[in-house]
Amino acid sequence: VRLAELTAAAALSFALSLPAAALAAPKKAAAEPLPLVQTAMALRDDAMKGGSIGVEFTRDLTTRFGARPAGSASEAAAAEWAAARMKALGFENVSVQPFRITSWSRGQEHAEITGPSRQSLAAVSLGEAPPTPAGGIEAEIVLFRSLEELMAAPDGSLTGKIAVVSRRMVRMQDGSGYGPITRIRGAGPGIAAKKGALAFVLRSAGTDNHRMGHTGTTRYENGKVAIPAFAMSNPDADQIERLAALGPVRLKLVSGASYDPNATSHNVIAEIRGREKPEEVILIGAHLDSWDLGTGAIDDAAGAGIVTGAADLIRRLPQRPRRTIRVVLFGSEEVAQPDAPFGTFGGWAYANANKAALEKHVVAGESDFGADKIYSINLPAGAMGTAFAAHVETVLAPIGVLMRPDSLDDGGADIGPSVNQGVPVFALNQDGTRYFDLHHTADDTFDKIDPAQLDQNVAAWAGLLWLIADSDVDFRALAKAAPAPAAH
Ligand SMILES: [Zn+2]
């Protein structure tokens, strides 16, 4: 082991991790890990032992500011705090990028079943949905089992009614059950309104059986959301399905939601400047904003803690990496905007402000799926089969991260606008089995985070980041050299 070639911290950590016999053993000729890989392993091991600020950063963010809705005073205060915290830690070029948004605030709201009998209804307004008239909306429902059923309803057939879609989300490790329900959440209010509906209710995009509504954004169409829209809990949706089988069902919905078209949101940007090629940037991110019902712990204070904690471990090394690591804590990931086709407004603000510099972004990745264990990795296109991939496997396999053969063309909402401009992307995939039990509910709170699993996330991020940042691996060149993926 060429200890002299290691950075001091890595050497120390590596030496401590070896049994005495191994230290005393004579040099072996075969397969000594490179200093690059040894440092990545040392970072990984430090994080696994709880050596990073990942958990602490997550706890601070959720404790000091609670919920951090996009454009709110709480989100702004969290951004200011995060910037100050990162500056105090020793990150460089710390800045706060403000941008204008239309924000949305939940008002007093209430939902109940009024017929055939009066019963409570656990439901919450969707983000961006307009308020009801002051006295609420009370009407008979028309129940649909899917978005396709709603779309097939004749025009005018929902006049004076409340449209309800009760399709259930499927629990999946990779979270892929979410997509079909977000399509209902996004498009449902507009489709129901066109057919005459007064309001729209869906079964929450959630996998729990607790009486919690899962909020989340719906979609603006032509600058507005047509009708009030709510998400009800799974048990309430089951109850409505049973009641509807017996006869007509009536609901009453009240929402005092409001908009502010002149709100400000913020991205927080901080760097570890590279020692040799500082203009080459590795972009890693998470989002600072959250929904209003919980304290945004799994979504996404955890991600902020994971990427900040990983970068901070590298910052502590005696020698900085060759390339720049840039942490961006994005504002306004959760909300849609009236004048944009998508949400992810902080991601757009970042990509627009860095248009020319994106060419020099080596790669991008984000953490926005809670804090449970990372179980697989997608490398950028063309990277599998290279020496870089072998190094990644050496560092990450011992903490349970499988190499996936495929690559992604979309790494998440915040980095999406940068990835669309050609920045290569990786994904460290987290176990999402229980994520949608909590996501966007009042139960998304810090106690739901398992510190050991969060540390495993930091370990994977720190190891991977070092392998990219202290090397000259060129993912754009690898993608060009790679054979075109087989059609399927
Ligand atoms: Zn999120």
Side-chain angles (χ1 to χ4, degrees):
V1 177
R2 295 179 300 277
L3 288 177
E5 290 180 42
L6 292 175
T7 60
L12 179 65
S13 178
F14 185 69
L16 290 175
S17 69
L18 291 172
L23 280 174
K27 276 190 189 177
K28 267 185 264 165
E32 277 180 18
L34 300 165
L36 174 75
V37 174
Q38 287 190 0
T39 303
M41 292 193 301
L43 288 161
R44 174 199 70 197
D45 294 345
D46 195 2
M48 289 297 283
K49 283 180 228 145
S52 87
I53 59 158
V55 172
E56 175 198 319
F57 196 89
T58 306
R59 186 181 55 226
D60 274 356
L61 201 50
T62 51
T63 303
R64 290 168 186 270
F65 307 102
R68 304 170 300 282
S72 68
S74 174
E75 189 205 32
E80 196 181 320
W81 171 86
R85 179 85 181 98
M86 288 159 96
K87 219 177 260 181
L89 284 166
F91 281 86
E92 298 153 292
N93 296 337
V94 179
S95 66
V96 176
Q97 179 195 4
F99 53 93
R100 192 201 61 79
I101 66 159
T102 293
S103 67
W104 177 90
S105 298
R106 189 178 307 281
Q108 292 290 324
E109 59 185 33
H110 176 73
E112 64 184 312
I113 300 167
T114 54
S117 60
R118 194 169 285 271
Q119 302 183 24
S120 71
L121 181 68
V124 294
S125 175
L126 294 181
E128 282 58 71
T132 61
I137 290 167
E138 192 191 357
E140 193 175 311
I141 69 160
V142 180
L143 178 63
F144 302 96
R145 303 301 174 132
S146 66
L147 188 63
E148 291 68 29
E149 263 189 30
L150 170 65
M151 288 164 76
D155 283 351
S157 63
L158 301 182
T159 301
K161 303 277 175 55
I162 295 172
V164 176
V165 177
S166 69
R167 178 168 173 181
R168 184 186 276 270
M169 181 178 161
V170 179
R171 186 186 295 278
M172 300 272 212
Q173 186 178 21
D174 67 356
S176 56
Y178 187 49
I181 312 302
T182 60
R183 282 192 279 285
I184 302 171
R185 199 176 72 196
I191 295 168
K194 280 193 201 97
K195 298 173 189 296
L198 298 171
F200 174 80
V201 180
L202 83 158
R203 181 195 287 266
S204 287
T207 49
D208 60 303
N209 283 312
H210 292 273
R211 292 195 73 197
M212 291 182 303
H214 296 237
T215 191
T217 195
T218 184
R219 202 155 73 203
Y220 286 99
E221 281 170 49
N222 303 317
K224 66 190 191 93
V225 175
I227 52 176
F230 285 72
M232 63 186 156
S233 79
N234 270 316
D236 287 77
D238 294 343
Q239 179 80 338
I240 282 182
E241 285 181 344
R242 286 188 297 265
L243 282 170
L246 302 176
V249 179
R250 295 181 70 81
L251 302 184
K252 182 172 183 188
L253 303 168
V254 184
S255 164
S258 60
Y259 303 90
D260 177 358
N262 291 305
T264 304
S265 182
H266 305 84
N267 290 334
V268 178
I269 302 164
E271 291 183 343
I272 300 160
R273 289 297 279 178
R275 71 175 192 272
E276 280 176 18
K277 293 180 172 172
E279 73 288 354
E280 294 192 3
V281 169
I282 294 144
L283 169 64
I284 60 171
H287 65 88
L288 263 187
D289 67 313
S290 77
W291 279 107
D292 56 338
L293 299 171
T295 64
I298 65 159
D299 188 15
D300 182 26
I306 289 162
V307 297
T308 305
D312 182 59
L313 280 180
I314 290 173
R315 185 198 56 74
R316 288 187 221 160
L317 293 176
Q319 177 160 267
R320 59 182 65 213
R322 298 168 72 186
R323 293 162 154 169
T324 293
I325 295 174
R326 181 177 296 166
V327 179
V328 181
L329 304 181
F330 293 92
S332 299
E333 188 271 349
E334 296 287 5
V335 296
Q337 290 294 300
D339 53 356
F342 310 106
T344 76
F345 224 61
W348 285 101
Y350 177 83
N352 286 337
N354 290 277
K355 262 194 186 113
L358 289 180
E359 267 175 44
K360 288 284 192 182
H361 280 40
V362 174
V363 73
E366 70 177 56
S367 176
D368 186 13
F369 204 41
D372 282 352
K373 193 183 153 181
I374 292 171
Y375 67 93
S376 71
I377 180 169
N378 297 94
L379 295 180
M384 278 307 278
T386 64
F388 167 75
H391 294 163
V392 172
E393 187 163 21
T394 300
V395 175
L396 298 192
I399 55 170
V401 182
L402 293 162
M403 306 291 286
R404 287 195 52 113
D406 54 332
S407 60
L408 304 176
D409 45 18
D410 162 31
D414 283 315
I415 59 169
S418 297
V419 171
N420 286 342
Q421 299 297 310
V423 178
V425 60
F426 68 85
L428 285 161
N429 304 304
Q430 295 163 283
D431 183 350
T433 306
R434 68 180 186 124
Y435 184 68
F436 291 101
D437 290 349
L438 305 165
H439 179 251
H440 294 186
T441 72
D443 247 4
D444 177 7
T445 49
F446 180 71
D447 55 295
K448 309 306 185 305
I449 287 175
D450 172 357
Q453 292 197 68
L454 192 150
D455 286 339
Q456 187 263 6
N457 275 258
V458 177
W461 275 86
L464 177 70
L465 275 179
W466 183 259
L467 293 178
I468 300 169
D470 203 45
S471 76
D472 56 7
V473 55
D474 179 347
F475 295 114
R476 285 178 173 82
L478 290 179
K480 268 189 208 131
H488 46 231

